[in-house]
Amino acid sequence: MTRPDLLQRIAAAQADLARDHLLRRLRTVEAADGPWLTLDGRRLLSFAGNDYLGLAQHPALREALTTAASQWGVGATAAHLLGGHRAPHAALEAALAAWTGREKALLFSTGYMANLGVLDALLGEGDLCVQDRLNHACLIDGARLAGCELKRYPHADADGAARQLAGAPDAAALLATDGVFSMDGDVAPLAALAALCRREGATLMVDDAHGLGVLGPDGAGSLAAAGLAQADAPVLMATLGKALGVAGAFVAGPAALIDALAQFARTHVYTTAMPPALAAATLRAVAIARAEGERRERLARLIALFRDGARA
Ligand SMILES: *Cc1c(COP(=O)(O)O)cnc(C)c1O
């Protein structure tokens, strides 16, 4: 028998990583006090977290979570379409749509699942998906899952994106980009990409995991900061586990798109709805993120301080 053994093969891949000193290390945090983490008894300042506005441990969010948990319990008990969609979910979807200036919004349990679900619902064989080289892994995986042709352009290069689109003028096309890139914090050339999509008849999708709550008037995100509206970028995805300090994600856009995603996005249809108490806590987070602009100003000051210090 010449059949390869799967467990041996993955162990060999693991050994390769170890040999090249590329193994990631799992650390258990013993206590968390905002960005201060205790590891092996040492108190350390974390630069790897995404709690940009300091909401993850906010008293008002804890209070909203416990109040909603006493009313709704812990679990949603079912998928959204099967009785799991509770009043806090509906209220949160409405608040997210209003905040981002979209007609409607649809919740997903994680950002990863949101991107897989949207790309798989919109794209299929023979279609084209054009993506920035530095896009988040789940946008790449979503295009793979959809079975479309995936073309990646050089980072933040709208002309590169234009060449990719021009190469397949007859294919239905989605251009997907991070709004704010997760590793360097730079912002995609959104106005140029929106103009390109309009010219080429392609649909623009923006993953604003790191822009929502951080950029734009009211913290409405990188598209709002660029002065772009729903018609310019019909597919807006953002997460609830970063600046909002909770967990989960949503897609917002035209009502017809959102209604169709509720039917066709398999990672929405075939999975348990997020716990309703988390939706209630997130609703509080949205209100605080919108109202307390000083949190954004403080973040901007800290970013400038870090950049200046790093340069020096
Ligand atoms: C974190 C992140 C995601 C995934 O979101 P989760 O809710 O953590 O699954 C997707 N896209 C980008 C750009 C991200 O930074």
Side-chain angles (χ1 to χ4, degrees):
M1 202 169 64
T2 55
R3 196 196 307 287
D5 182 275
L6 290 177
L7 302 191
Q8 255 168 33
R9 190 170 70 189
I10 199 167
Q14 168 93 344
D16 287 349
L17 280 186
R19 191 199 53 221
D20 298 340
H21 306 288
L22 290 174
L23 276 184
R24 293 165 187 263
R25 189 163 135 212
L26 180 67
R27 295 180 167 95
T28 300
V29 175
E30 292 136 20
D33 172 17
W36 291 96
L37 306 183
T38 306
L39 279 121
D40 298 327
R42 292 171 68 206
R43 195 171 143 87
L44 302 169
L45 180 59
S46 169
F47 281 83
N50 303 301
D51 184 18
Y52 302 127
L53 303 179
L55 294 179
Q57 296 186 327
H58 193 292
L61 269 67
R62 296 177 198 231
E63 203 268 331
L65 183 81
T66 47
T67 303
S70 35
Q71 183 181 357
W72 295 97
V74 175
T77 78
H80 282 277
L81 291 170
L82 297 175
H85 191 68
R86 307 289 162 88
H89 296 121
L92 177 59
E93 286 179 341
L96 292 167
W99 188 19
T100 55
R102 264 60 188 170
E103 281 169 38
K104 268 184 127 169
L106 186 73
L107 290 174
F108 288 80
S109 295
T110 71
Y112 210 119
M113 291 173 66
N115 280 343
L116 292 186
V118 170
L119 291 169
D120 183 51
L122 285 173
L123 295 163
E125 213 183 311
D127 297 337
L128 174 66
C129 187
V130 173
Q131 298 202 19
D132 190 290
R133 274 212 80 77
L134 296 190
N135 272 357
H136 192 271
C138 56
L139 285 167
I140 307 293
D141 289 359
R144 288 199 183 128
L145 178 66
C148 60
E149 188 178 3
L150 171 62
K151 293 266 190 194
R152 297 166 81 182
Y153 55 87
H155 177 52
D157 179 359
D159 294 334
R163 284 192 292 275
Q164 306 281 27
L165 282 170
D170 298 324
L174 182 80
L175 191 161
T177 181
D178 285 17
V180 177
F181 288 88
S182 54
M183 292 299 113
D184 296 319
D186 57 325
V187 179
L190 294 170
L193 294 174
L196 167 64
C197 285
R198 203 171 311 120
R199 232 170 31 240
E200 285 284 337
T203 299
L204 178 59
M205 170 174 181
V206 174
D207 173 340
D208 213 18
H210 296 276
L212 186 74
V214 171
L215 294 180
D218 252 18
S222 60
L223 284 164
L228 297 170
Q230 177 176 281
D232 305 301
V235 190
L236 166 59
M237 173 277 187
T239 61
L240 311 174
K242 285 169 181 153
L244 293 172
V246 190
F250 68 99
V251 178
L257 166 72
I258 300 305
D259 290 343
L261 289 177
Q263 303 294 324
F264 294 115
R266 295 169 64 83
T267 55
H268 173 86
V269 174
Y270 296 106
T271 197
T272 302
M274 74 157 67
L278 287 189
T282 310
L283 189 60
R284 265 327 301 270
V286 169
I288 294 170
R290 292 191 72 167
E292 298 184 6
E294 59 274 17
R295 290 178 184 271
R296 259 180 297 289
E297 287 156 22
R298 176 159 188 274
L299 174 66
R301 281 198 305 276
L302 289 173
I303 291 169
L305 181 70
F306 180 82
R307 285 213 167 123
D308 288 350
R311 231 189 319 270

